[in-house]
Amino acid sequence: MPVRDGLGPARLRLRGGSVLVELADRFGESAAAKVRNGEVVMPDGTVVGVETVLPPGAHVYLYRELCEEVPVPFDIPILYRDDDIVVVDKPHFLATMPRGRHVAQTALVRLRRELDMPALSPAHRLDRLTAGVLVLTTRREVRGAYQTMFARGLVHKTYLARACVNPEFALPTVVRSRIVKQRGRLQAAEVLGEPNAETRVEHLGDGLYRLTPRTGRTHQLRVHMASLGLPIAGDPLYPNVVDVAPDDFSTPLQLLAHRLEFDDPITGARRVFVSGRTLA
């Protein structure tokens, strides 16, 4: 199924049995209506009918219904663009790609619509609350090369953050720990075991820190700064969870993906991209 209005189809894993009955049970009459209207398909493109029965673990695809979302009132400046990639300066509060309640108000969907590029796809992710340099690929043919480069840790990333100052704390330092993020829990946690996350922390003065991650665990920088007793300013999750209204954009997380460097996997050229944003 092609991208439609910037949004690709949702992939659903089935419990097994009548597809019509299961979708009606899980998602209501609107989903059942999609089956009746021939808007649900199998991976091979076969249209699911009202009498279709599939085994447990089978997958179907359909376009989700868009719920009303709070608009994120910030632009997405383009830092660089060629035939293979688009590099943008993602604002705070904008998720990289659709997930949960954030669908249309994501960098991916907005850019697909604004640039009229339905094949656009992120090469990596930034947290919704983190701003800065984000690389997206323009064509399916090159997508794997860029995503593999990020997955293998071949990209040098530098972040900036603002936090309190502890003059008795010796910096720079390298923080190593094991971080686990469980599904359904807002916070990631440090647990006993072999370290899987490493961050170099430097204080540049005046509460401005340079963070250089050598791994890419979920919320890694936020967890490591909080573990040092230097939680990043504006963080609603670490060290404590703070309830923030969906339309409250007054206190951005003071974390910025400031610089990305890598050897282009297609051309071999050295790429360096720097955010134009600053931290308050």
Side-chain angles (χ1 to χ4, degrees), residues 113-191:
R113 293 174 175 177
E114 292 171 12
L115 302 178
D116 191 21
M117 299 181 70
L120 203 65
S121 181
H124 62 118
R125 298 187 188 186
L126 290 178
D127 287 346
R128 185 179 70 88
L129 297 183
T130 303
V133 181
L134 176 67
V135 179
L136 304 101
T137 60
T138 64
R139 300 180 290 125
R140 182 182 297 272
E141 294 81 5
V142 302
R143 184 183 305 167
Y146 286 95
Q147 290 179 340
T148 299
M149 175 186 67
F150 277 91
R152 292 177 60 191
L154 301 179
V155 180
H156 183 74
K157 306 175 184 179
T158 304
Y159 290 72
L160 296 178
R162 287 210 174 270
C164 59
V165 177
N166 183 347
E168 298 181 0
F169 199 88
L171 293 175
T173 190
V174 175
V175 184
R176 298 182 183 91
S177 68
R178 183 168 189 83
I179 296 177
V180 175
K181 177 70 166 64
Q182 296 181 349
R183 183 182 295 273
R185 294 181 64 93
L186 294 176
Q187 292 180 317
E190 290 183 299
V191 299

Side-chain angles (χ1 to χ4, degrees), residues 252-266:
L253 175 70
Q254 294 298 292
L255 180 61
L256 175 68
H258 178 65
R259 184 183 180 99
L260 283 185
E261 300 180 50
F262 57 88
D263 292 326
D264 192 289
I266 305 299

Side-chain angles (χ1 to χ4, degrees), residues 2-138:
V3 170
R4 187 173 70 183
D5 194 24
L7 188 65
R11 178 174 180 263
L12 297 178
R13 188 173 188 272
L14 301 175
R15 300 167 183 157
S18 166
V19 178
L20 175 66
V21 171
E22 179 172 343
L23 292 190
D25 178 56
R26 291 171 62 181
F27 306 107
E29 178 55 33
S30 62
K34 289 182 181 295
V35 175
R36 298 189 185 96
N37 294 335
E39 299 176 21
V40 181
V41 302
M42 301 181 207
D44 64 359
T46 302
V47 175
V48 171
V50 294
E51 297 182 357
T52 299
V53 174
L54 294 175
H59 294 90
V60 294
Y61 294 83
L62 71 160
Y63 292 107
R64 72 196 83 184
E65 293 295 326
L66 293 182
C67 299
E68 187 174 347
E69 297 179 49
V70 176
V72 178
F74 307 112
D75 294 333
I76 315 175
I78 295 176
L79 298 173
Y80 176 81
R81 178 177 176 180
D82 64 19
D83 290 340
D84 296 328
I85 58 175
V86 174
V87 183
V88 301
D89 212 351
K90 188 185 83 66
H92 297 283
F93 301 106
L94 192 68
T96 296
M97 59 192 299
R99 185 177 180 183
R101 67 184 184 187
H102 305 287
V103 180
Q105 288 298 309
T106 59
L108 178 61
V109 174
R110 282 178 48 174
L111 287 166
R112 280 176 173 174
R113 293 174 175 177
E114 292 171 12
L115 302 178
D116 191 21
M117 299 181 70
L120 203 65
S121 181
H124 62 118
R125 298 187 188 186
L126 290 178
D127 287 346
R128 185 179 70 88
L129 297 183
T130 303
V133 181
L134 176 67
V135 179
L136 304 101
T137 60
T138 64

Side-chain angles (χ1 to χ4, degrees), residues 238-251:
Y238 302 95
N240 301 307
V241 177
V242 178
D243 189 23
V244 179
D247 59 350
D248 184 355
F249 304 109
S250 63
T251 309

Side-chain angles (χ1 to χ4, degrees), residues 159-166 169 171 173-177 179 190 198-204 207-212 219-233 235 238-239 253-255 279:
Y159 290 72
L160 296 178
R162 287 210 174 270
C164 59
V165 177
N166 183 347
F169 199 88
L171 293 175
T173 190
V174 175
V175 184
R176 298 182 183 91
S177 68
I179 296 177
E190 290 183 299
E198 180 177 321
T199 307
R200 178 177 172 83
V201 181
E202 303 169 81
H203 187 211
L204 303 180
L208 181 65
Y209 294 83
R210 178 165 56 218
L211 311 179
T212 307
H219 295 178
Q220 175 178 319
L221 303 181
R222 300 161 69 180
V223 171
H224 278 170
M225 288 295 283
S227 73
L228 294 175
L230 303 170
I232 297 174
D235 196 334
Y238 302 95
L253 175 70
Q254 294 298 292
L255 180 61
L279 298 176

